[in-house]
């Protein structure tokens, strides 16, 4: 069961994602979480560095959809100024929102990736939807709500089991 929580890739931040490698594999869409993936959970708008990165992503021909379990006001206030489509209250790891994101982009799962900071929502949901998953280090864990804090405790148990089975590196990556 814990194997379903294993991401295909682990990077420190979205800025560390190798866009050229994704492009060479035929990826054309990025489904991304918002809170603690793109910005801290209490950061209302995109940072200048993130805006620059999103411009590069779009220039390279990728489509982007924000898929968040947060509410419409939070996600809309962030995504609308950037002109990025979004799906709030996604109920990840459920598959419906991932399928909807793929539909918005007009892509199949093999042509998209999901990027997020949580194994129990982003990675599990992405894997269940057949997507390549990229796990990032949470930007501001101290800003997380109670539900995410519970998920983090479960993640620690999962990581201990994955390490014990030799499926997760002992050093680095959480």
């Amino acid at each position: 069961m814990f194997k379903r929580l294993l991401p295909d890739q682990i990077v420190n931040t979205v800025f560390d994602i190798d866009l050229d490698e994704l492009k060479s594999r035929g990826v054309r869409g990025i489904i991304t979480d918002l809170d603690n993936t793109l910005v801290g959970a209490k950061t209302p708008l995109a940072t200048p560095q993130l805006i620059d990165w999103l411009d590069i992503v779009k220039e390279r021909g990728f489509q982007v959809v924000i898929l968040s379990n947060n509410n419409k006001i939070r996600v809309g206030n962030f995504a609308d100024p950037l002109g990025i489509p979004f799906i709030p209250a996604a109920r990840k790891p459920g598959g419906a929102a991932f399928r909807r994101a793929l539909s918005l982009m007009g892509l199949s799962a093999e042509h998209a990736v999901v990027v997020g900071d949580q194994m129990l929502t982003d990675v599990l949901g992405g894997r269940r939807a057949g997507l390549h998953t990229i796990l990032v280090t949470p930007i501001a864990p101290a800003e997380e709500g109670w539900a995410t804090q519970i998920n983090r405790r479960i993640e620690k148990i999962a990581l201990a089991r994955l390490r014990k089975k030799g499926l997760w590196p002992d050093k680095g990556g959480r």
Side-chain angles (χ1 to χ4, degrees):
M1 177 200 146
F2 290 116
K3 287 183 182 180
R4 297 198 83 181
L5 301 176
L6 284 171
D8 295 301
Q9 282 182 260
I10 302 170
V11 296
N12 204 28
T13 72
V14 294
F15 310 116
D16 299 317
I17 295 171
D18 187 340
L19 297 174
D20 293 328
E21 190 268 332
L22 292 182
K23 189 90 169 171
S24 73
R25 287 192 6 246
V27 172
R28 298 190 318 258
I30 298 172
I31 299 168
T32 183
D33 180 45
L34 170 56
D35 295 323
N36 275 330
T37 297
L38 297 179
V39 294
K42 297 195 187 229
T43 303
L45 300 172
T47 63
Q49 183 183 17
L50 180 62
I51 291 169
D52 291 345
W53 182 79
L54 288 167
D55 287 343
I56 291 167
V57 166
K58 290 176 186 176
E59 285 170 13
R60 298 221 183 143
F62 292 98
Q63 296 180 72
V64 177
V65 173
I66 295 174
L67 183 65
S68 175
N69 282 346
N70 212 326
N71 65 61
K72 185 176 183 177
I73 292 169
R74 160 66 174 145
V75 184
N77 286 345
F78 181 89
D80 283 340
L82 300 169
I84 296 175
F86 63 93
I87 300 169
R91 302 180 72 154
K92 297 180 284 182
F98 290 95
R99 290 188 296 276
R100 188 167 162 219
L102 288 168
S103 179
L104 278 173
M105 294 186 290
L107 297 174
S108 59
E110 62 265 18
H111 294 114
V113 298
V114 62
V115 179
D117 68 299
Q118 289 190 62
M119 294 166 65
L120 292 174
T121 56
D122 307 306
V123 173
L124 178 60
R127 287 182 61 99
R128 291 175 67 207
L131 292 153
H132 180 90
T133 57
I134 303 173
L135 183 67
V136 300
T137 303
I139 294 171
E143 296 179 2
E144 295 176 334
W146 63 270
T148 303
Q149 290 174 14
I150 291 169
N151 282 351
R152 297 287 183 213
R153 289 186 185 129
I154 296 168
E155 280 184 5
K156 283 184 183 181
I157 294 166
L159 285 170
R161 297 251 172 101
L162 290 167
R163 283 187 179 109
K164 189 174 181 180
K165 293 181 180 202
L167 297 172
W168 195 276
D170 281 328
K171 297 188 181 198
R174 298 198 173 215

